[in-house]
Amino acid sequence: MENPRMVFLTPTVIKGDASGAQVVAHELAHSWTGNLITSKSNDHFWLNEGFTTYAERRIVEAVQGKERAVLNIGIGWKGLVEEMERFKDNMEFTKLKTNQQGVDPDDVYSQVPYEKGFQFLWRIERQIGRPAFDEFLKKYIATFKFQSIDTDTFLDFLKANVRGIENHIDLKVWTEGTGIPPDAMEPASEIYTKIVSLANEFKVGRMPNEDEVADWGGQEWELYLENLPKSVEASQVLALDARYRLSESKDYEVKVAFLQLAISSRCSNYYSEVEKTLKDVGRMKYLRPLYTGLVQGTGKEEEKIFAKRVFSEACTCYHPIAQGVVESILAKHM
């Protein structure tokens, strides 16, 4: 969590391969977008997080290379697509400019302001070119520093400084429309395409062989796991882990993605590892999907009892906000 003069970093970003550096980049970038300029209310939260996610990926590209940034964007794209499914019954929260009157922001917290916000800014960059967009960003920060602004203020500034932008990009669809706009873009690169292709092959029973994954780090595995079917045969889960030991990964992005697959595939062999993870880590990014996976859906009485027991034993170690989020997940599905 970023604060103006100090960033609090969870130990889970220390992975041993520098892949957690993107989180550091994100929180440092908040010094400009989120703190120096702040959204007026949570209805305009994308002004904090969309801009910061864009800045994060520019930093990653500069420091770690374009391929690493593309993987980062691809993981975010998959997350955005999944949020559309999560909010299919209440599409209000797939908008950038939302109405959260009477809503607890923690209940509707999602990747939408981060990833749809990033996609909007990336779309503007593609339209006018990176050099022009960089100049626009510098002027935006200089103009609104030490202020709290809303979406309309940003759009007015955009139209005043990028003449005719509204003739090329439907700004209302991007900010007030639901879902993913048609001119959003999934990233493309050789490594990204290869990983997604390998994930698709898993659906027909083929897992990658050792030489195909020899140079993979945490982000490659995370992208692979994110693109697997949500539920496969338990035997496939066991075979994948027997070969690559994903359940033992020190990278929690990889471990939790694998454990989600195990839960959705009803592969109870890994429930002890799920319990250990839920008791070792208090980060909501991991608690939310694991608890939700355990209790969401039909015919999961054993999993619900398991989740309730684990929470009762672990909850005193969670932050109060995390406690409340997990309690609401259990209450919704119990």
Side-chain angles (χ1 to χ4, degrees):
M1 180 63 198
E2 102 288 345
N3 291 277
R5 298 188 64 170
M6 181 180 290
V7 170
F8 290 86
L9 284 174
T10 164
T12 59
V13 306
I14 303 170
K15 305 174 184 182
D17 63 357
S19 62
Q22 68 193 55
V23 179
V24 178
H26 185 98
E27 304 310 335
L28 290 175
H30 265 309
S31 296
W32 290 267
T33 51
N35 291 343
L36 189 63
I37 303 173
T38 305
S39 56
K40 188 170 284 188
S41 75
N42 221 58
D43 290 338
H44 309 279
F45 189 49
W46 80 272
L47 290 169
N48 287 15
E49 298 300 350
F51 273 88
T52 302
T53 302
Y54 176 85
E56 166 203 327
R57 287 168 182 163
R58 290 289 300 275
I59 295 169
V60 168
E61 181 180 323
V63 175
Q64 297 182 324
K66 191 169 184 177
E67 287 285 6
R68 188 64 44 188
V70 168
L71 290 178
N72 193 327
I73 296 168
I75 292 167
W77 173 265
K78 187 65 177 176
L80 180 60
V81 171
E82 290 175 355
E83 297 291 25
M84 297 303 124
E85 175 64 21
R86 173 187 166 194
F87 289 118
K88 63 183 179 183
D89 296 326
N90 193 345
M91 294 296 282
E92 171 68 26
F93 302 112
T94 67
K95 299 177 181 178
L96 286 183
K97 181 182 176 182
T98 60
N99 179 6
Q100 296 188 25
Q101 185 70 35
V103 175
D104 184 339
D106 287 323
D107 292 340
V108 295
Y109 176 86
S110 77
Q111 291 301 302
V112 172
Y114 295 77
E115 297 300 339
K116 190 173 178 179
F118 163 79
Q119 283 283 340
F120 182 31
L121 298 175
W122 197 29
R123 174 68 184 90
I124 298 169
E125 182 204 291
R126 294 199 302 277
Q127 184 63 42
I128 67 175
R130 180 169 286 186
F133 191 56
D134 284 355
E135 289 307 309
F136 168 80
L137 287 177
K138 291 174 186 175
K139 188 173 181 181
Y140 166 74
I141 291 169
T143 301
F144 296 109
K145 62 184 179 182
F146 304 115
Q147 296 181 50
S148 298
I149 67 169
D150 59 20
T151 301
D152 290 339
T153 302
F154 168 74
L155 292 178
D156 289 343
F157 182 79
L158 174 66
K159 287 183 283 188
N161 287 275
V162 184
R163 297 292 184 181
I165 189 70
E166 66 272 26
N167 299 323
H168 301 281
I169 300 174
D170 193 327
L171 303 178
K172 188 166 186 178
V173 164
W174 270 100
T175 55
E176 298 182 41
T178 58
I180 301 175
D183 51 344
M185 192 171 84
E186 184 174 7
S189 77
E190 187 175 338
I191 183 65
Y192 180 82
T193 303
K194 176 187 173 184
I195 292 170
V196 173
S197 176
L198 287 171
N200 288 332
E201 289 179 5
F202 191 81
K203 298 172 187 176
V204 293
R206 179 186 178 273
M207 74 173 73
N209 49 48
E210 282 83 352
D211 64 321
E212 290 174 311
V213 305
D215 58 350
W216 283 14
Q219 280 192 303
E220 286 86 352
W221 276 113
E222 183 185 355
L223 182 65
Y224 177 77
L225 290 166
E226 289 286 346
N227 280 278
L228 292 182
K230 288 305 167 194
S231 181
V232 298
E233 295 296 324
S235 59
Q236 289 179 281
V237 177
L238 290 164
L240 183 64
D241 194 46
R243 182 175 291 185
Y244 294 115
R245 299 296 181 192
L246 300 175
S247 66
E248 300 170 14
S249 176
K250 302 301 182 186
D251 185 334
Y252 276 90
E253 307 292 341
V254 176
K255 179 195 280 283
V256 171
F258 176 79
L259 293 178
Q260 283 181 262
L261 179 68
I263 291 169
S264 64
S265 302
R266 309 294 286 273
C267 190
S268 58
N269 305 58
Y270 295 100
Y271 285 9
S272 60
E273 191 60 42
V274 171
E275 178 172 351
K276 183 176 184 299
T277 301
L278 290 172
K279 288 181 175 179
D280 285 350
V281 179
R283 192 175 173 189
M284 280 198 289
K285 184 177 184 181
Y286 307 136
L287 301 183
R288 192 192 302 267
L290 291 178
Y291 278 111
T292 300
L294 286 168
V295 301
Q296 192 175 53
T298 58
K300 288 193 167 182
E301 292 312 310
E302 288 185 17
E303 285 88 347
K304 290 178 180 179
I305 293 169
F306 170 75
K308 192 171 183 179
R309 175 184 64 77
V310 172
F311 178 63
S312 69
E313 295 172 4
C315 66
T316 55
C317 295
Y318 295 161
H319 187 281
I321 293 176
Q323 289 179 15
V325 168
V326 177
E327 284 170 353
S328 67
I329 290 170
L330 298 181
K332 181 179 179 181
H333 298 287
M334 289 296 194

